[in-house]
Amino acid sequence: SPVAKFRGPFLARVSRLYEAYHVLVKDDWYENLKSLHEKYGPVVRIGPDELHIADPEFCLDFRRRPDLRKCSNYYGLDSTVLGGLADPRNHLQRKSVIQPLFTGDTLARYSAAELNVHAGNLHEKLSEAASQHDQSGTNLTFILWALTNDIMTSYIFGERMGYLAAPDLAAVHDSTRAYNAIDLATVLRTMSPVKMLFDPLPVLRRLSVLGWIDKVQSEPLLLPLLCVKYGLTGSSSTQLISTRLAHTSNSNSTTQHEKGDEKSILAYLWRQLGGDSQLVTHEMAHAVFIGNESLLSNLTFLLHQMIENPRCVRVLRKELDSLDIDTYGHQVWRDPKVLQLPYLDALCRESTRLSSPGWHRQPRQSTEPVLYKDNITIPAMVSISFTPRMLEHDATLFEEPDSFIPERWLGNNRETQILRKNSVTWGTGTRTCLGQYLSRHVLKKALVCIVYGFDMSLFDAERDVEEGFRYLNTYPKKGKAGYMRVRVASRFATSEP
Ligand code: HEM
């Protein structure tokens, strides 16, 4: 093997089942990875053709290269959508079509109008919860999940689905959230016979426990509801999206998009991708799928940190007092200055830094051999991986790396510039997150809405500690999902502006 000279556990050298064992059976992938680096040093062979590197300097430098390929064994499940395209040229081409829909005017218009409506709905829901004094606490996970679904579907499909207004948020949550995503992705990438069997046999696949992947890929969370809404029950999702596309693209969809009609995002993309409705469906379903879960996870983490650090709540409230309360009243999130508040920005950066999940690594391949330190050469096309969480908790990059210290991001000086350059929260190189700016707006507005309007504490902190704060898990295993239950109280007697 071209990587034979690199050290690692025996099973990992011969089979991907090593990964499967640590993800599916022992559920200790990240902890094990750390112990492997302690034993074998900064470069460890974690698969027959994959090296994991825990050398921040090398990782940060290597990742900036624009010519790297995403490894098909890792991203193969999503090989047709932007996030999984292996070839950098194909990726660049697709990105040039999709990226404008997630930045610039499209995002600014959404943020200033639609996103404010969702923040208003969140406020309403929390006010309701505060007045009800629920004996079992307020399930914030359900509320945030409904919120992120409303946001993602309205952004991508231009539809207000009203998840947050649904009378039964538990039902919304349970019927739309997918569990075991990491396990199933692991099965398919570490057990190639399973993947080979399932690829050509979609029926078999649908009957299996893996069926949800097709469902999520081809029928994103909102589609059943869209079916009901448009009276299209029975249509296949692709037909449904096509119908929706035809509806929105009947005339001048590009012009509408340019005018800022968010409803035309789908139609615009459809036209740009040559009318390939299946590709558009997959691309958008994927964005909704990953957007929902990462927003939920990041919002939950941010609120968890705020509850754990009352000092941060005080400092943020002081900063919020500088906003135009006379104009916006309790709806402070509507003040455009919110997006520029330095402490709020620092809170969000620090929270996203600490919340990267341990299961997520980023493997890349170079078509040329790569020179690692001390004259060690890594052969071409070997998967070279790093785990963002490891870098984000590295003491050489971040002082007191495990502590929540938003202040480290404040100011524009040499230190903060270096911190920003070293940040890998949103990915690296040319493959950074498409949803990062949308996510930043969502995190900021939701946090402002909550911190300005409400006092919050954990409903049963003892149980949360006992459970190891399970509610912080992204893409949890079934049966291991946690719920963030809180006590909510309105800060103001009357909440009208
Ligand atoms: C706070 C929330 C989020 C975090 C921390 C996050 C993080 C990331 C990271 C680390 C990557 C790189 C993955 C890799 O290279 O393996 C990525 C890629 C991506 N993310 Fe996000 N993400 C978030 C929210 C979103 C949202 C809301 C969307 C959709 C609107 C989204 C869409 C994407 C897409 C499409 C890619 C692939 C980009 C490409 O390869 O060009 N993300 N994200």
Side-chain angles (χ1 to χ4, degrees):
S1 160
V3 282
K5 64 181 174 201
F6 295 97
R7 299 192 307 152
F10 173 73
L11 186 57
R13 297 163 70 90
V14 294
S15 166
R16 287 188 193 291
L17 289 176
Y18 178 79
E19 178 182 349
Y21 174 67
H22 281 285
V23 175
L24 305 172
V25 182
K26 294 207 72 182
D27 195 12
D28 68 349
W29 175 252
Y30 184 68
E31 293 71 27
N32 182 60
L33 204 53
K34 283 200 298 188
S35 69
L36 290 183
H37 281 295
E38 274 159 28
K39 182 169 177 190
Y40 296 108
V43 183
V44 178
R45 190 165 166 200
I46 58 166
D49 55 359
E50 182 169 354
L51 301 176
H52 190 274
I53 304 203
D55 173 337
E57 197 188 339
F58 171 81
C59 290
L60 291 170
D61 203 35
F62 174 64
R63 318 299 304 202
R64 294 198 178 103
R65 279 177 45 179
D67 61 325
L68 298 176
R69 293 175 62 83
K70 272 200 171 179
C71 303
S72 51
N73 71 306
Y74 191 81
Y75 296 97
L77 276 180
D78 303 317
S79 58
T80 57
V81 299
L82 183 77
L85 288 174
D87 183 82
R89 281 158 306 189
N90 292 346
H91 172 260
L92 194 65
Q93 205 177 17
R94 180 83 58 82
K95 192 173 176 178
S96 67
V97 172
I98 299 183
Q99 194 173 33
L101 302 176
F102 288 88
T103 50
D105 282 354
T106 312
L107 174 62
R109 275 189 301 265
Y110 179 83
S111 178
E114 188 68 18
L115 189 51
N116 286 344
V117 173
H118 295 300
N121 293 341
L122 173 65
H123 188 277
E124 207 172 295
K125 199 79 205 172
L126 291 174
S127 302
E128 205 181 282
S131 64
Q132 280 170 354
H133 306 293
D134 195 330
Q135 292 305 303
S136 54
T138 297
N139 189 318
L140 199 61
T141 303
F142 289 163
I143 293 181
L144 296 179
W145 178 252
L147 173 75
T148 61
N149 274 268
D150 274 339
I151 291 172
M152 287 308 299
T153 52
S154 69
Y155 193 79
I156 305 257
F157 295 91
E159 292 294 334
R160 280 195 196 155
M161 299 308 300
Y163 289 110
L164 203 46
D168 187 351
L169 292 187
V172 169
H173 176 272
D174 295 346
S175 61
T176 54
R177 198 162 175 207
Y179 293 106
N180 293 337
I182 306 310
D183 284 5
L184 290 163
T186 306
V187 167
L188 290 181
R189 82 169 159 253
T190 59
M191 302 178 194
S192 28
V194 179
K195 182 155 184 338
M196 271 153 59
L197 197 64
F198 277 80
D199 274 349
L201 294 171
V203 175
L204 186 63
R205 196 177 154 106
R206 264 198 300 277
L207 289 176
S208 80
V209 286
L210 307 174
W212 72 269
I213 286 187
D214 295 315
K215 202 158 174 257
V216 170
Q217 287 280 1
S218 63
E219 294 184 41
L221 313 177
L222 80 162
L223 286 180
L225 290 178
L226 272 181
C227 286
V228 173
K229 191 167 170 170
Y230 290 106
L232 290 168
T233 322
S235 300
S236 80
S237 56
T238 309
Q239 280 167 336
L240 176 67
I241 289 235
S242 304
T243 312
R244 186 76 191 89
L245 288 169
H247 174 68
T248 50
S249 64
N250 255 343
S251 58
N252 62 9
S253 63
T254 311
T255 323
Q256 281 188 355
H257 170 64
E258 280 160 10
K259 278 189 202 151
D261 176 0
E262 292 88 359
K263 287 192 179 190
S264 66
I265 280 189
L266 253 185
Y268 171 81
L269 195 56
W270 188 46
R271 182 178 285 211
Q272 295 295 318
L273 294 179
D276 184 340
S277 50
Q278 194 184 358
L279 183 56
V280 175
T281 306
H282 282 194
E283 201 63 84
M284 296 293 92
H286 192 249
V288 172
F289 178 55
I290 58 176
N292 274 341
E293 188 74 31
S294 17
L295 280 178
L296 171 72
S297 147
N298 275 268
L299 262 174
T300 307
F301 200 89
L302 186 52
L303 290 168
H304 170 83
Q305 290 298 348
M306 298 307 281
I307 290 174
E308 297 276 289
N309 297 280
R311 184 189 60 82
C312 296
V313 173
R314 285 194 298 275
V315 179
L316 178 60
R317 281 181 179 161
K318 202 161 169 220
E319 189 174 60
L320 295 181
D321 286 341
S322 70
L323 294 172
D324 188 354
I325 308 293
D326 288 345
T327 306
Y328 298 107
H330 77 270
Q331 299 184 344
V332 279
W333 60 86
R334 288 175 52 217
D335 188 334
K337 288 200 293 293
V338 156
L339 298 171
Q340 266 75 54
L341 294 175
Y343 190 70
L344 176 62
D345 185 65
L347 284 169
C348 295
R349 280 180 195 274
E350 182 67 346
S351 170
T352 44
R353 176 184 76 84
L354 285 172
S355 62
S356 285
W359 52 260
H360 176 60
R361 66 181 191 274
Q362 297 186 6
R364 300 286 188 269
Q365 287 162 327
S366 163
T367 50
E368 303 290 326
V370 175
L371 185 66
Y372 182 64
K373 291 174 180 169
D374 306 328
N375 296 330
I376 298 171
T377 302
I378 301 172
M381 296 309 282
V382 166
S383 295
I384 303 176
S385 280
F386 88 102
T387 296
R389 186 178 177 84
M390 232 174 236
L391 296 194
E392 287 164 330
H393 287 258
D394 189 296
T396 62
L397 299 180
F398 299 97
E399 233 171 84
E400 291 184 55
D402 300 332
S403 306
F404 184 75
I405 311 178
E407 288 74 12
R408 70 172 93 234
W409 299 97
L410 287 175
N412 188 8
N413 49 46
R414 208 179 116 68
E415 281 77 29
T416 53
Q417 279 162 10
I418 292 173
L419 284 191
R420 280 164 207 216
K421 206 163 138 234
N422 290 344
S423 170
V424 291
T425 302
W426 305 101
T428 48
T430 52
R431 308 301 296 245
T432 48
C433 176
L434 198 70
Q436 62 177 298
Y437 302 106
L438 173 63
S439 302
R440 284 186 171 139
H441 287 220
V442 172
L443 291 182
K444 286 180 181 180
K445 292 200 177 206
L447 184 64
V448 163
C449 165
I450 294 172
V451 168
Y452 189 76
F454 304 92
D455 288 317
M456 240 178 225
S457 57
L458 292 178
F459 180 75
D460 188 346
E462 219 169 280
R463 192 182 62 181
D464 293 337
V465 172
E466 254 169 49
E467 288 183 354
F469 296 110
R470 281 201 327 207
Y471 56 73
L472 297 175
N473 292 346
T474 26
Y475 295 117
K477 288 176 190 274
K478 195 157 181 94
K480 291 209 174 166
Y483 300 110
M484 188 176 187
R485 287 181 199 278
V486 292
R487 280 198 184 81
V488 191
S490 285
R491 285 183 71 213
F492 306 105
T494 61
S495 56
E496 290 310 308

